[in-house]
Structures are given as structure tokens and as C-alpha cells.
Amino acid sequence: MVKLLLENAQKEGIRFLKTYRENGGYQSLEKALKMAPDNITEEVKVSGLRGRGGAGFPTGLKWSFLAKPENTPRYLVCNADESEPGTFKDRFLMEFIPHLLIEGMIISSYALGSNRSYIYIRGEYAWIVDILRQAIEEAKQNGYLGKNILGSGFDCEIFVHPGAGAYICGEETALLESLEGKRGNPRIKPPFPAVKGLWNCPTVVNNVETIAAVVPIIKMSGAEYAKIGVGRSTGTKLISACGNINKPGVYEIDMTISVEDFIYSDEFCGGIANGKKLKACIPGGSSVPILPANLLLKTAKGETRYMNYESLSDGGFATGSMMGSGGFIVLDEDQCVVKHTYTLAHFYRHESCGQCSPCREGTGWMERILKNIETGKGKMSDIDLLWDIQSKIEGNTICPLGDAAAWPVAAAIRHFRDEFEWHVLNPEESQKRNYGLANYASPLALVS
Amino acid sequence: MSEDLFKVTIDNITIDVPPGTTILQAARKIGGDVTPPAMCYYSKLKDSGGKCRTCLVEVSKGSEKDPRPMPKLVASCRTTVMDGMEVKNITSPKAMEARKGVVEFLLINHPLDCPICDQAGECDLQDLSYGHGNEGSRFEFQKRVFEKHDLGPYIQLHMTRCILCYRCVFVADQLTEKRQHGILDRGERAEIATYISKSLEHDFIGNVIDVCPVGALTDKTFRFKNRVWFTKPVDAHRDCDKCAGLVRLWLRGDEVFRVTVRRDEWGEVINTPEGKPAWICNECRFEKKKESDWIIEGPTHINRHSVIAQGHYEGLKMPNEFLPEVIGKKPRLFLNIHDVSEVNRPGIDLSLIEGPATSDDFENPKND
Ligand SMILES: Cc1cc2nc3c(=O)[nH]c(=O)nc-3n(C[C@H](O)[C@H](O)[C@H](O)COP(=O)(O)O)c2cc1C
Ligand code: SF4
Ligand code: SF4
Ligand code: FES
């Protein structure tokens, strides 16, 4: 399988500039600086690269939206807040091959005309802050950063800014507020960051992996990059796999592999741990809908499901899910979906910024109801109430955290309603054992 | 119509507004029931709005150029109109359902202590729940409570009632040089606070009381002294070197119980003749509590639907009725209230009745 990002990640000493360069590092930058900035944007457009932070928005398009008023600085901000439960791919990339991100940052800054660019990183990654700062220092000493980079006339500085431990600061406008030194409340859009972002200047916010992917795109050309993968899922994607699998870890895939192969092949997850059976999976980070095994491996139409944007969302939310940020969480037959949903609800209640009423109040309400059901104090009507609450949060909030809190609850009830009902009807037994696999892995009846 | 104006249709009523107008402002121009309720937006505070989500509406047609509907409900207070836009507020079941949800969310942790709350009678949350809420509550858990805090000699913060509209934060940002309070913590534990108990000190900080839509920030010089509907509002002014001195006095007999800004029909502070918001200073608000401090202009005009109108006020305002235009035909009355109730007889002008109205006034109307 092709590897564009992590090819050299395990090489001894790759964290340092010397080894990184010996392995082809900074060649893309040299090439890029000889190109016109707009042509780089064009290459990224042609590559079909989609944002790796969760929403999957086409990166080239995002870059071309950047407003370019006279005498106003523009900014590139790298989103390294990575706080979505189940997602730890950016961490791997930054920790092992930091220069890939730095090189991508310099190329992207050149393309966008940003002379001061920022990496906003989650505060808990304290040691990675040091790794990145060291890489920046090395790049500076070698003329890749600072004034007149490699004689191109382009100046660029990169700053690493650690956050203070809030998931919401990964939402791009909350991130910008936080970077400005304010409370990390998401902004009300419009205006969008491309017009008014950091300090009211046009800004592009991109995920770590998105920016790193610009390096191979420049190296091999956008058209070559676009040949990898399938449909609108071009290039490679990092997946952080965790849960009840034999080989948790960060994998780089081209998006043609089926979900089944990804879970069971020895190259990737290596199958379900302890010889258990697959019950359910959240394929794209805690915010995306959970799917039972049968819908995960095959779509409602009975077709094989693949690890790419289109296939994972096939069937919409009724029978599909999302690629999201690539946090692949696997649940085996011993896991309780009610408990799992309660854990997520707890997370979102804790991480809501509290600005808008549906999310501030609704997340806490859902958590309390789920706690009741989980601890055997639930009522049958609670399930419908939960459904109603999530439907009144979804789509009605300032930022997508409201949706992210609603979707897991909705999907759990949609696909595992009988497990919730069993919890309510068997309050004592549900404290002693789990509902098990039930029929969640049974082959689906074919839809005509 | 002039080329410079945008045509926007809200609940089947069309109006022309200048570009840059928000849907909510356009709806306010129409008035009546088609105007979405607003709990956090305050036109005279920059950047306010977008938070409470009570003003959500459905945009069924984006504009003449791009007629696609907007995929989600939008906050009408922060969405500007486009030419040819079509908006549904009370005609959108989706918007009404969402609003019901928002009202419920705002109430689940609200103490509902209206009987002992100074804001009762002029509380936006009361009006909102009456207009858009459900009768019961489905919330079966312990509500969130906070300690009460004195923010200096004049203002008390009763955080349990707060709906986190951020209006008081914007007042401090925009009316004072340095904000001394803000939001601490996040999510459902977010609270208005001064960090280390401090008093709010600034000549204009008293205005936070007037912008607060609920009883979270109250006037300590008025606390528990009277119910607002027993006091009679009159408009008054004085020469003040700090503010325009345009106020509303709340009287009982000739005793001044409370001094507030003058509010318009949307509950917002009025403008001075020079066109600036007539915020008032702490001296006018807290220290001028004698009728002789003021030149009284006359009784305040009160909306007929307000509980404050229950007494004997002159010049009651009749709100516009839009139903025929909204539904495109004359509504058929199942029951004409005037046929069965004495109280609503149109011939009786409540403002001409001396003192609180009694059944006698309706049985033997003097002015029928
Ligand atoms: C609550 C919330 C948290 C988010 N956290 C992250 C994050 O940790 N990292 C990230 O790259 N994007 C995160 N996003 C998505 C960003 O808002 C934004 O879409 C992304 O950084 C854009 O980059 P991309 O186009 O390269 O994906 C989050 C979004 C929300 C609503
Ligand atoms: S949806 Fe939640 S996190 Fe996002 S702005 Fe509203 S309260 Fe804050
Ligand atoms: S105290 Fe009042 S004005 Fe301030 S945020 Fe709370 S409800 Fe709004
Ligand atoms: S008034 Fe529009 S969101 Fe609060």
C-alpha cells in the first residue's frame, strides 16, 4: 500500500532535519518556491485533497476562497488541537516526523501569502510542543524559515501555541479566539475565517494532516496524487484505530481498502482482540454515528463498505456514518452501547462552551438521562425523550459541537434501541451483564 | 420600489429594507406575531445575538439570484436579508418546534422563582415561555444552583436565573473602559462572575440591570420593595452632566421606587434626540429617588398585553394584528370573546377607569 506521509516515520533520527533531508525532505519546498503561489493552490485543487480535520471540505477550494485585500496580512493556522476521542493521528505525525508538518506549513504559507503562521496545539501534547519548536529552530538555522527563504524573497515565521485543554478550541473559530488570547467561544458565522479570521484578517485553518499532505502533492504533482484512492477520496488518509482490536495504532491507507479488510487484515487492525466478535464501530471519531457490525461491513444495499468518504457515508445517517477525523473505534461483543453512549454524552456535556442554549442545556440533560438508563433507573419514555432532545439540539446551535453531541445519541438509539429497552426492562440484570452481540452482526435482509 | 432596497417576505408579508438589515430587524419593521422573540440580541449592543437561539427561522428561499432554501434554521438576529429572500417564522412548523425546544432548554435549569423575583412582570423569559413554551416540564433532575453575589452596593447577581445571553458583558465592554466581569467556566457550569468577588464600579454599569432579560441582575435599591405592576411608570428627565438624564420613574403615589432607562416596544433603551442610546448613569439610577429630583413628562405608554397595563394607564398601545395577511384569508372565529366576556368589551376603554378595574366597571360601564 502506498505511503505518502508515514513512509519514513519510523526511520531512526527522522525527527531531525539532517535525516529528514537525507530522505528527500524539503525538496518539495525548494520546488514550491520556484512556483507561483497561485499555481500551488491550483495543484492542491487538482489533487482533490479534502480537509482531514473532520468535515472533509476540499482544501484547494478553501484556499481559493481566501480574501486578499491590499495591505492586510493573511494567516495560515494549523489546527493541531486534536481532542476528538478516538483520534490520535496528528499526534503520531508531529511526534515522529515533525519536519513534514513544518515543510507543509512553509509551502502552504507561501501559497497563501502568510508571513506569520501558527500551529495551535492541544496543551496536553506538551512534549510535542518541544519537538515542533526544535524542528522550527532547525529549519530556521538552515534557511527554510525566517527572512528571504532560500533566496526566494519570501519571509515566514511559524509559532507554536499550546491550548489549555478544551476540545472546543479545535473548532476553527474558537481556536482563533483562543489564539487571540480570548475565551475559546466559537464565533457566529458569517463572517467566515477566509474573510475575517485571526485578528480580523483573512485566515485559512487546516488540520495537521491536511497541511502535511501538501508536501507529497507538490513532490508528485496534484494530478498524480489524485490517481491514488477512489472517486472524491483521493490520496492517503491516516486512521487512528483503537478499541477491541489486536493492533491499535495509526495507519496510513489509500482509500480503496474495505472496512472488513481494514479490521481483519494483519497489516492493519489484525482482527478483534481475544477472539471476540465485532459488535459495532465508530468509524470517524466520537462525533460520527456509530454503526452495528452488519451495517459497518456492508451498506444497506448489500454492497461492501470501503474506508473512504463516500462509502462510509453511504445511506446517509439512516444506515451510514462518516469518515470524520479518522478515529476508528471498535467495540466487541462485550461492550455495552448504553454505557458507551453515556460516556460520550459525558464528554460533550463537559466540553460544551455554554454559549448557546440547546447545547449548554441539552448536553447535560442527555447525560443525566443516559446515566439513569445505564444505572438501571431508566424509564421507557426516556428513550423517546432522548431522541426528542437530540433532535432539538441538532442543527440549531452556533457550532457543530451541538451536532457532534446529538449524532452519537441519535445513532445509538437508531441502531441499538433494543439494547436501551433491555436496560430499562432489566434494571438489575443490566448491572451484572451486557446485552451482548444480539443480532447486530447478523446478515442484513436485502433491501429491494 | 427603489433599486437600493431589498425585498424580503416574512410569513407571507413583503417589506422593502435596506441591504445589511437582519431578518429580525425586517420582521420588527412589520411587527406583531411575525417578529421572532429575541432573548440575547440587543440592537444597541454591538456583536450581541446569535446565542440563545430563540429567534431561529426557516429561510425557504435564499434570494432572487440563488433561490435555494437554507439547509438549517438560521438565527434571524444575525442573518442579513438578501433581495427576494423568503422567510418563514410562525408559518414554519420546523422553526416553531425548534423554538419550543429552546424555551424548554432555557427553562430546565431556571429556578422558576417568579413569585419572589423582582423581574416578574417585565421578564422576557416569562413572556417567552408564555408565548412559546409547553405547560409542563420533562426535566426530572436537580436544577443547577449558584450562590447569590453582591456586585457592589447597587447590583445583585442571582446567577441561578441567568440565561447567559452575554448582554451584560457587552454593556461592560462597550460602555465602560474596562470590563470587570465576564463568563467563567464552560458548558452548563458557565457563570457570570468577577473572578475574585469584586464590585462592579463604573458610572454606567447600572445599565446591566436594564439589559438583563431575566432577574439575574437586579437593582439592590429596589429589591423586594414592590411588584412592578403595582408601580406606575412615568417618563421623566433631569439635567445630568454624566448622561442624557432621560429616564423612566416607577412610582407608587409620589414615592419613586425605581429609576430605569426608557425602553422601546422591543424592550431596548430608547435613543436620545441626537440618536445615541439613552443609557443612564448610576447617579440618576440609584441616587435620585425623590420626585422633586425630576421633571415628569407624563405617563409611559404601555402595551395592552403587559401585566403592567392592568391598572389605569393612559394611551394603551394596541398591537397590530396580522393573521389575515399571514394565512392569506380572514380567520374564522370559533368563538368571539366579546360575545361571552364582559371584560373584553371593545367599548370599555380601560385607560379611562380610575384606579384598579373592578367587576363593577364592567357591569356598569361609565363610557360604554
Ligand atoms: C467541536 C469541534 C472540534 C474540532 N476539533 C478539531 C481538531 O481537534 N482538529 C482539527 O483539525 N479540526 C477540528 N475541528 C474541525 C475544524 O473546525 C476545522 O473544520 C478544521 O480544522 C479544518 O481543517 P481541514 O479543512 O484541514 O480539515 C473541530 C470542529 C469542531 C466543531
Ligand atoms: S454548540 Fe455548544 S460548543 Fe458550540 S457554540 Fe454552542 S454551546 Fe458552544
Ligand atoms: S446576567 Fe443577565 S444580562 Fe448577564 S448574561 Fe445573564 S441573563 Fe444575560
Ligand atoms: S436573539 Fe437571535 S439568537 Fe438570541
Side-chain angles (χ1 to χ4, degrees), chain A residues 328-348:
Chain A
F328 195 82
I329 309 169
V330 179
L331 277 64
D332 73 15
E333 58 192 298
D334 290 343
Q335 306 310 314
C336 170
V337 171
V338 176
K339 177 162 186 209
H340 161 86
T341 312
Y342 164 51
T343 308
L344 290 183
H346 170 80
F347 173 79
Y348 288 105

Side-chain angles (χ1 to χ4, degrees), chain A residues 382-392 410-411 413-414:
Chain A
D382 284 345
I383 304 172
D384 291 329
L385 180 55
L386 268 178
W387 182 268
D388 193 53
I389 298 171
Q390 70 77 23
S391 76
K392 281 177 170 147
I413 298 178
R414 188 183 297 123

Side-chain angles (χ1 to χ4, degrees), chain A residues 6-23:
Chain A
L6 302 185
E7 175 79 80
N8 299 321
Q10 308 284 26
K11 283 225 168 90
E12 178 83 28
I14 195 78
R15 194 176 283 165
F16 301 102
L17 191 135
K18 188 166 163 288
T19 318
Y20 179 69
R21 201 162 43 187
E22 281 162 14
N23 286 280

Side-chain angles (χ1 to χ4, degrees), chain A residues 273-385:
Chain A
N274 306 320
K276 300 269 180 188
K277 292 197 189 68
L278 172 69
K279 176 175 184 179
C281 172
I282 305 177
S286 63
S287 306
V288 310
I290 186 172
L291 287 179
N294 47 14
L295 276 176
L296 176 75
L297 304 178
K298 289 218 174 353
T299 66
K301 286 180 235 136
E303 292 161 2
T304 305
R305 210 186 272 284
Y306 292 92
M307 295 285 290
N308 63 47
Y309 291 94
E310 290 90 347
S311 186
L312 283 174
S313 56
D314 186 289
F317 278 5
T319 58
S321 182
M322 272 172 82
M323 184 84 184
S325 58
F328 195 82
I329 309 169
V330 179
L331 277 64
D332 73 15
E333 58 192 298
D334 290 343
Q335 306 310 314
C336 170
V337 171
V338 176
K339 177 162 186 209
H340 161 86
T341 312
Y342 164 51
T343 308
L344 290 183
H346 170 80
F347 173 79
Y348 288 105
R349 193 271 293 146
H350 189 261
E351 297 298 333
S352 162
C353 83
Q355 253 191 120
C356 51
S357 354
C359 171
R360 177 182 66 239
E361 306 294 348
T363 50
W365 193 2
M366 290 197 303
E367 184 199 351
R368 286 173 178 84
I369 296 173
L370 280 161
K371 185 178 180 186
N372 269 0
I373 302 179
E374 164 60 15
T375 53
K377 295 183 210 108
K379 298 194 295 275
M380 224 42 162
S381 59
D382 284 345
I383 304 172
D384 291 329
L385 180 55

